């Protein structure tokens, strides 16, 4: 059954401290977040009714806001509680939570010193980010014509809306060409990430290599997978990875809150095996999220 558009769904959204009807969670067309990307957000997974790594996501939300000179008018404790409450109200069992912070409409120009800061939290049932059958076989990536920007040019370590426009362009380009997603390079031409997830490679020695997150987010799921791999005695090497090195790797996978652990079978003309090591890390991650939410 096809789901309704997101603006046509029912229930409640936490909006500036109140639980309002879904259809009434509206903002004015002249808000600064829409026009100038004065907006930060988070994406959180719900497993069996509990939000995984909620506190870490909220900490990152506040960090992103601070980097964007946005002062959230609630405490981290209040945001954590609001996230839990809206999941309960919406009766989300296995889904997604989207906290969102943006500048309002008092000033409509580059400067926004007097604009009210707004906060909303929505949640909904949501399964796999990528097609489950594709995840079993491994998804295919092209190489984006867009690059992650120089870290001197943007607040690169934030989860802010403006940074995702090139991700949308990259994913659209990939889908037009018959790929599932796109590999993005950094400003120096090194491998960075996909459009919404971190990337890992496995070599024939069962070592795992992953790019240094110095121009893109050091994902919460990324850190979880590194910890899981190390607990299994797998050597993790964080370093700059050149594009021409892909032929040296036998396996590849993505990690992210939405993507979880997603094997990659192909990047451009380079092919990879969905091997036991990757499947085992994926299974171990699922055990972790179920265990943590049940604790």
């Amino acid at each position: 059954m096809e789901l309704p558009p997101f603006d046509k769904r029912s229930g409640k959204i936490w909006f500036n401290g109140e639980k309002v009807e879904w259809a009434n969670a509206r903002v004015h067309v002249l808000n600064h977040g829409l026009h100038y990307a004065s907006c930060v957000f988070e994406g959180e997974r719900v497993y069996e009714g509990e939000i995984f790594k909620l506190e870490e996501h909220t900490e990152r939300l506040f960090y992103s806001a601070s980097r964007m000179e946005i002062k959230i008018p609630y405490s981290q404790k209040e945001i954590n509680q609001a996230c839990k409450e809206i999941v309960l109200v919406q009766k989300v069992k296995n889904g997604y939570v989207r906290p969102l912070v943006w500048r309002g409409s008092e000033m409509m120009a580059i400067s926004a010193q007097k604009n009210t800061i707004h906060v909303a939290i929505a949640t909904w049932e949501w399964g796999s980010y990528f097609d489950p059958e594709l995840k079993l076989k491994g998804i295919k990536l092209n190489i984006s014509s867009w690059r992650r920007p120089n870290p001197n040019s943007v607040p690169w370590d934030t989860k802010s809306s403006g940074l995702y426009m090139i991700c949308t362009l990259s994913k659209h380009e990939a889908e037009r060409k018959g790929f599932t997603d796109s590999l993005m390079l950094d400003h120096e031409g090194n491998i960075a990430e996909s459009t919404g997830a971190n990337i890992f490679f496995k070599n024939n020695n069962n070592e795992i290599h992953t790019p240094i997150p110095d121009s893109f987010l050091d994902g919460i799921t990324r850190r979880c997978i590194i910890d899981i791999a190390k607990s299994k005695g797998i050597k993790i090497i964080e370093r700059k990875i050149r594009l021409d090195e892909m032929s040296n790797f036998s396996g590849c996978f993505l990690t992210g809150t939405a993507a979880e652990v997603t094997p990659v079978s192909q990047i451009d003309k380079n092919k990879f095996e969905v091997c036991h090591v990757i499947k085992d890390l994926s299974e171990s991650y699922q055990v972790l999220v179920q265990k943590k939410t049940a604790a």
Side-chain angles (χ1 to χ4, degrees):
M1 183 179 69
E2 186 175 350
L3 294 172
F6 277 93
D7 61 339
K8 304 297 183 185
R9 299 190 180 191
S10 61
K12 303 284 186 178
I13 289 177
W14 192 93
F15 194 97
N16 289 334
E18 299 181 3
K19 299 178 188 70
V20 304
E21 292 296 327
W22 193 285
N24 295 333
R26 299 177 179 179
V27 296
H28 196 275
V29 68
L30 295 180
N31 79 83
H32 205 270
L34 175 63
H35 289 257
Y36 298 101
S38 289
C39 176
V40 297
F41 65 97
E42 274 298 320
E44 304 162 3
R45 276 277 188 181
V46 180
Y47 296 97
E48 297 301 321
E50 298 290 333
I51 304 170
F52 182 63
K53 298 284 186 181
L54 171 59
E55 290 78 10
E56 290 182 40
H57 280 287
T58 301
E59 286 174 9
R60 189 169 66 181
L61 178 70
F62 274 71
Y63 176 79
S64 296
S66 176
R67 285 275 278 154
M68 296 282 284
E69 298 185 358
I70 294 173
K71 183 173 175 54
I72 298 176
Y74 303 95
S75 68
Q76 291 190 32
K77 183 178 180 180
E78 288 173 315
I79 294 299
N80 285 336
Q81 185 59 34
C83 288
K84 293 176 182 177
E85 286 179 3
I86 203 65
V87 167
L88 188 63
V89 167
Q90 288 296 98
K91 299 178 181 177
V92 172
K93 184 88 170 174
N94 293 285
Y96 202 69
V97 183
R98 171 53 53 87
L100 188 71
V101 183
W102 70 97
R103 288 188 173 101
S105 308
E106 287 79 6
M107 300 174 69
M108 183 42 59
I110 300 299
S111 181
Q113 305 287 353
K114 298 179 182 179
N115 288 35
T116 300
I117 305 302
H118 298 273
V119 184
I121 306 169
T123 184
W124 57 90
E125 289 286 338
W126 199 25
S128 178
Y129 180 63
F130 295 112
D131 186 298
E133 290 187 13
L134 281 179
K135 283 185 70 172
L136 292 174
K137 301 175 183 177
I139 64 171
K140 297 180 180 180
L141 280 60
N142 76 330
I143 299 173
S144 176
S145 57
W146 296 93
R147 293 189 177 186
R148 300 310 301 167
N150 189 309
N152 291 328
S153 66
V154 293
W156 61 272
D157 55 349
T158 65
K159 198 169 179 68
S160 55
S161 60
L163 292 174
Y164 280 81
M165 190 63 252
I166 56 174
C167 300
T168 296
L169 292 172
S170 297
K171 192 167 177 69
H172 286 180
E173 177 188 28
E175 291 172 340
R176 282 196 301 270
K177 295 179 177 180
F179 295 88
T180 308
D181 206 345
S182 194
L183 173 69
M184 303 188 74
L185 308 181
D186 67 14
H187 62 290
E188 296 175 330
N190 297 307
I191 291 172
E193 59 177 350
S194 76
T195 59
N198 294 123
I199 193 164
F200 291 79
F201 296 93
K202 187 194 79 71
N203 64 16
N204 290 326
N205 295 325
N206 282 340
E207 297 172 335
I208 292 179
H209 296 239
T210 190
I212 299 170
D214 58 0
S215 62
F216 54 90
L217 279 180
D218 179 9
I220 292 171
T221 308
R222 176 185 185 273
R223 297 198 296 266
C224 285
I225 291 301
I226 289 174
D227 288 342
I228 291 171
K230 287 180 177 179
S231 74
K232 295 175 178 291
I234 299 172
K235 187 175 183 180
I236 296 286
I237 300 171
E238 298 182 69
R239 64 178 180 87
K240 297 284 187 179
I241 303 175
R242 301 189 314 273
L243 191 59
D244 62 9
E245 291 185 70
M246 279 199 293
S247 60
N248 299 334
F249 299 113
S250 58
C252 179
F253 61 95
L254 306 180
T255 66
T257 296
E260 300 176 298
V261 177
T262 297
V264 174
S265 64
Q266 183 177 339
I267 301 178
D268 195 27
K269 297 178 181 178
N270 298 276
K271 295 189 177 180
F272 305 97
E273 177 191 1
V274 183
C275 62
H276 169 73
V277 171
I278 295 173
K279 291 178 180 177
D280 183 57
L281 287 172
S282 179
E283 290 169 3
S284 295
Y285 180 72
Q286 289 301 317
V287 170
L288 174 67
V289 298
Q290 300 296 339
K291 180 180 177 182
K292 289 291 185 181
T293 55

